[in-house]
Amino acid sequence: MSALLVPPSSSPARPSRNRDGDRNQDVVLRPITAQTYRAFLASPHGEALGAGFLQCPSWADVKEGWRAQLLGWGPDPEAGELTGVALVLLRQFPGTRKYFAYLPEGPVADWSDPDLDAWLTPLLEYLRRTGAFAVRIGPSPAHRRWSAARLKPLTGPGRRLGDVLASEVDPLGTAVAERLRARGWGRCGRATGTDGAGGDGGGGTGGGGGDAQPRHVFQVPLAGRTTEDLWSGLNQEWRRNVRRARKEGVEVVVGSAADLPEFCRLLALTERRDGFRLGRSLAYYERQYAALNAEEPGRMKLYLARHRGEILAAHTMITVGRRTWYQTGASADHRREVRPSNALQWRMLLDAHAGGADVYDMRGVPSTLDPAERAYGLLRWKLGTGGQVVETLGEWERSVGGSANHALHRAFQAYLKRR
């Protein structure tokens, strides 16, 4: 994976003066090393920003077909004086020397800053000089939340999440959306990754009109809760299934890279059975496992559920800072009555809690509340953990400026829709 670097003689991109005065006038945007980037994420300020695994430097080594850059904002980014960072993936538009820039679930920045121009403007200018014609970002603030208790009694024919009054509307998310629209950013079309298995986090090419990452995710809050609280948060069916797995002798263990071929075999079975297609190869998961664990040992784990010596289910888990994700799950077609997937998730939930995570993110869920729709089964299964559906702000996109880039952006969108 080769990074595009601005020549040393290039002047740093500087933000506009903050409306409140001089607070950000000395902040610049520069390329930084992976070591500097990781040190910021591990710092108290960086950890508080809650970076996702898609914004870790290691993710650049997972994605083939993209070039990558690591950028940092701050008084002196190259010396590690940072206020925010971003992993930028760049994909070349066929037949040109121009790139589409994608920041999956990023940048990692303080979205509560009322002056987004202070860091988005230099980002656009930097990417324009780098050769990008358009950029897509994934702001971190949430938009709306629905508790499992609220959704359970409100399912029905033709119903969707948007038909139900949210348990909570995040004012920061609303404000960020308004600020982005005022600055020419457009929210991407209806999410494409929420009605299948979700949760892979692999991302797409961007620019095709839909979100590459799931718009709706399912989260189980862990902060301030005991294991007894987590157990009582499960619904009766989940508790019964976990007990059933224990009674039947299902054993849950943490596997290794050597178990990835079996995981992928089970994933192929799951895709056929449940009618979705992630399109991830064994080589992809081997690359991901190696890259994430080289960055931090234990960052990605593979959990296995064995019964009578046979692996019946396998799930991947990723941890960054105080956040843990259930990324991808796979299971066999037979002996499902011993409930290996429930046993796996309960063990992963306990391990995330023991590791100090504030939230256990089960990744994508569909927006349908119609039990007759096939996709609803995934949401129903996750609702049983007692967590909440979170609607993110989704992904936002715009050209970097100039009539030629606007035209190329429109052409790129049309190209992707034809693929």
Side-chain angles (χ1 to χ4, degrees), residues 35-76:
Q35 181 179 4
T36 300
Y37 193 115
R38 286 192 290 267
F40 172 74
L41 294 185
S43 70
H45 178 55
E47 187 175 79
L49 296 176
F53 65 91
L54 299 178
Q55 277 293 297
C56 287
S58 56
W59 199 251
D61 296 322
V62 177
K63 301 301 295 176
E64 288 189 324
W66 298 80
R67 302 179 74 177
Q69 283 194 325
L70 299 176
L71 303 178
W73 291 266
D76 191 350

Side-chain angles (χ1 to χ4, degrees), residues 14-27:
R14 293 184 178 274
S16 57
R17 181 180 294 270
N18 189 287
R19 293 189 186 95
D20 298 328
D22 297 337
R23 181 161 60 95
N24 286 334
Q25 68 173 344
D26 294 327
V27 173

Side-chain angles (χ1 to χ4, degrees), residues 21-296:
D22 297 337
R23 181 161 60 95
N24 286 334
Q25 68 173 344
D26 294 327
V27 173
V28 296
L29 175 69
R30 293 291 287 174
I32 58 176
T33 67
Q35 181 179 4
T36 300
Y37 193 115
R38 286 192 290 267
F40 172 74
L41 294 185
S43 70
H45 178 55
E47 187 175 79
L49 296 176
F53 65 91
L54 299 178
Q55 277 293 297
C56 287
S58 56
W59 199 251
D61 296 322
V62 177
K63 301 301 295 176
E64 288 189 324
W66 298 80
R67 302 179 74 177
Q69 283 194 325
L70 299 176
L71 303 178
W73 291 266
D76 191 350
E78 291 156 310
E81 296 181 32
L82 293 163
T83 57
V85 294
L87 166 65
V88 182
L89 300 176
L90 297 151
R91 171 158 284 182
Q92 191 169 7
F93 186 20
T96 75
R97 294 183 178 179
K98 291 283 192 172
Y99 295 86
F100 182 84
Y102 179 40
L103 286 68
E105 299 186 359
V108 183
D110 181 7
W111 289 94
S112 66
D113 184 348
D115 188 8
L116 297 186
D117 295 328
W119 44 278
L120 284 181
T121 297
L123 175 66
L124 291 171
E125 174 59 21
Y126 179 91
L127 293 175
R128 185 190 63 78
R129 290 190 285 113
T130 301
F133 62 88
V135 59
R136 174 180 286 204
I137 60 175
S140 60
H143 180 210
R144 295 182 290 180
R145 302 173 191 270
W146 295 265
S147 68
R150 171 161 292 190
L151 291 176
K152 185 177 179 180
L154 296 176
T155 60
R159 302 205 73 175
R160 306 191 75 80
L161 281 170
D163 299 325
V164 178
L165 186 66
S167 305
E168 177 187 340
V169 177
D170 192 322
L172 176 58
T174 301
V176 169
E178 292 174 351
R179 292 166 185 165
L180 288 174
R181 288 192 187 96
R183 289 158 174 78
W185 293 83
R187 187 169 179 172
C188 297
R190 180 170 175 165
T192 59
T194 57
D195 287 337
D200 181 66
T205 57
D211 292 337
Q213 306 304 328
R215 173 89 46 96
H216 297 96
V217 298
F218 195 87
Q219 296 180 350
V220 181
L222 302 181
R225 303 178 70 189
T226 66
T227 55
E228 291 76 16
D229 293 333
L230 298 179
W231 178 254
S232 62
L234 303 180
N235 66 16
Q236 290 184 355
E237 182 181 4
W238 261 79
R239 291 197 297 268
R240 183 171 60 250
N241 289 341
V242 173
R243 290 190 185 106
R244 175 68 183 274
R246 188 180 300 130
K247 181 179 178 181
E248 294 287 345
V250 174
E251 178 191 16
V252 177
V253 298
V254 178
S256 67
D259 298 300
L260 287 172
E262 181 62 13
F263 163 73
C264 287
R265 186 189 71 81
L266 292 174
L267 182 57
L269 292 176
T270 305
E271 289 176 332
R272 287 196 294 270
R273 181 180 67 243
D274 295 344
F276 69 91
R277 175 68 175 158
L278 292 178
R280 305 298 174 198
S281 66
L282 171 59
Y284 174 88
Y285 285 106
E286 288 177 333
R287 190 165 61 248
Q288 183 188 110
Y289 190 91
L292 270 61
N293 287 322
E295 184 171 64
E296 182 175 310

